[in-house]
Amino acid sequence: MNINQIKAGSIITKSKLPDADYVINPYIGCNHGCIYCYAEFMSRFTGHGNEKWGDFMDIKDGYPMPRLEKFEGKSILFGSVTDPYNPLEKKYQKTRELLKVFAESGVKARAEILTKSALVRRDLDLLTRIPNIRVGISLSATDAKFARVIESHAPSPQERIETMRILSEAGITVYAFISPIFPFFSDWKAVASEAGKYADEICFENLNLRGGYKKRVLDIIKEEYPEKYNDFEKIYSSKEIFQTFWENEAKVIKKFMKGKKYKIYFFHEKIKKA
Ligand code: SF4
């Protein structure tokens, strides 16, 4: 792996995401190996040309620590195009360094962390001192074998659910991000039931396939699960089929989640907040 330390002018960037005013990405790149990673477009914008996403990691350095008074009341998401607890965080501790600023400032920014990693547990000492923080744990299915196929270097679904338990018992607000839902593979009802024991909110996002990773995902499904390939591929064969499938799925989710706190992010639009 090509690992570099790079000088960054700032560490907080304005965001266009629906639920985040600002984002913090302490790293460029991510080596969790998710076959559906939409963040790989970052390679082109960060001077990595045709380097394969996951084969390089830039560790941001040299930026001024954020003056959080400017962000009072704003939402700041850690990890929009990287996992802030990717394996390099164990050594470089860039996320931890920034969380210290949040813990020591007392400023009520609405910090949010989105990760797949159990490493977030290391920072419980800081997380419990940050007002308004939420930690989202993302997972797509409970099946460890399937998770290994789609996210080869990320912790197992069981470790992620256990992480939710530990965070929740430490008093941290936790949400589950069931994402991406793979049609015919993601047992989202089981994930929601299991995660719901510890999560305050369950968020759902569908699998979108576009650009360079569409072929990659289809090829891997064809190779690993040939018996399911035709049904899976059909969902992505036309806009109409795609739209109808996910509209129906959203209806099932709404029924299943009735009375509970949830959000659905399908078609990259917020459909409903309970
Ligand atoms: S954890 Fe997120 S950023 Fe990292 S490879 Fe997976 S989808 Fe991409």
Side-chain angles (χ1 to χ4, degrees):
M1 158 137 12
N2 175 16
I3 300 174
N4 311 288
Q5 284 196 279
I6 60 157
K7 185 161 167 38
S10 71
I11 193 66
I12 297 194
T13 331
K14 216 154 175 18
S15 148
K16 288 185 185 151
L17 293 172
D19 283 350
D21 298 316
Y22 293 88
V23 289
I24 291 183
N25 291 292
Y27 302 88
I28 298 171
C30 184
N31 48 359
H32 273 158
C34 307
I35 62 170
Y36 52 80
C37 183
Y38 68 91
E40 64 181 7
F41 72 91
M42 288 292 292
S43 304
R44 294 197 305 280
F45 294 111
T46 53
H48 288 279
N50 293 326
E51 265 183 279
K52 199 168 148 239
W53 186 252
D55 283 356
F56 67 87
M57 290 291 294
D58 291 345
I59 302 144
K60 293 186 187 172
D61 210 352
Y63 46 82
M65 280 301 165
R67 292 181 34 233
L68 290 178
E69 314 81 74
K70 284 170 43 190
F71 300 96
E72 186 94 42
K74 300 287 182 198
S75 55
I76 304 174
L77 171 69
F78 281 72
S80 62
V81 287
T82 187
D83 190 316
Y85 287 98
N86 68 70
L88 260 60
E89 169 63 17
K90 199 168 182 181
K91 175 175 175 191
Y92 292 96
Q93 305 205 5
K94 303 309 286 185
T95 296
R96 182 170 173 83
E97 197 175 83
L98 286 154
L99 287 179
K100 267 190 199 155
V101 178
F102 279 77
E104 283 159 15
S105 76
V107 169
K108 290 192 173 136
R110 287 181 287 126
E112 184 165 316
I113 290 172
L114 185 58
T115 183
K116 290 182 166 69
S117 177
L119 184 58
V120 63
R121 284 142 56 167
R122 177 200 65 190
D123 291 342
L124 264 181
D125 60 323
L126 296 173
L127 297 173
T128 49
R129 289 170 53 205
I130 302 175
N132 296 339
I133 194 153
R134 271 171 31 114
V135 177
I137 302 289
S138 61
L139 73 170
S140 174
T142 56
D143 178 354
K145 180 183 172 283
F146 178 64
R148 182 74 51 219
V149 169
I150 62 166
E151 305 155 343
S152 53
H153 301 307
S156 69
Q158 285 65 33
E159 276 180 273
R160 292 183 230 175
I161 287 171
E162 175 65 359
T163 299
M164 285 189 223
R165 184 189 69 75
I166 290 170
L167 293 173
S168 161
E169 287 179 7
I172 307 291
T173 304
V174 178
Y175 69 95
F177 192 51
I178 306 182
S179 168
I181 300 175
F182 272 67
F184 312 115
F185 289 93
S186 297
D187 52 347
W188 58 259
K189 285 185 183 171
V191 180
S193 301
E194 206 40 44
K197 294 177 194 162
Y198 317 112
D200 286 42
E201 184 173 33
I202 312 279
C203 301
F204 299 84
E205 187 182 47
N206 60 329
L207 175 72
N208 282 288
L209 288 183
R210 60 171 78 92
Y213 65 86
K214 179 172 182 178
K215 184 176 179 326
R216 178 177 63 226
V217 170
L218 290 174
D219 286 351
I220 291 171
I221 294 295
K222 192 174 196 172
E223 182 163 343
E224 298 287 336
Y225 302 96
E227 71 289 358
K228 290 190 179 179
Y229 177 75
N230 286 346
D231 289 338
F232 181 84
E233 194 273 339
K234 196 172 173 199
I235 305 299
Y236 297 93
S237 63
S238 88
K239 211 173 162 187
E240 292 68 33
I241 295 174
F242 178 86
Q243 186 87 11
T244 308
F245 179 85
W246 291 111
E247 278 171 5
N248 287 337
E249 203 70 352
K251 281 185 201 152
V252 182
I253 291 174
K254 285 177 192 175
K255 202 167 165 200
F256 185 76
M257 293 301 292
K258 198 162 181 228
K260 299 183 186 126
K261 198 173 170 194
Y262 71 98
K263 283 184 200 160
I264 299 175
Y265 298 95
F266 282 5
F267 318 112
H268 285 280
E269 276 174 354
K270 196 189 311 186
I271 292 180
K272 174 167 166 64
K273 183 177 179 178

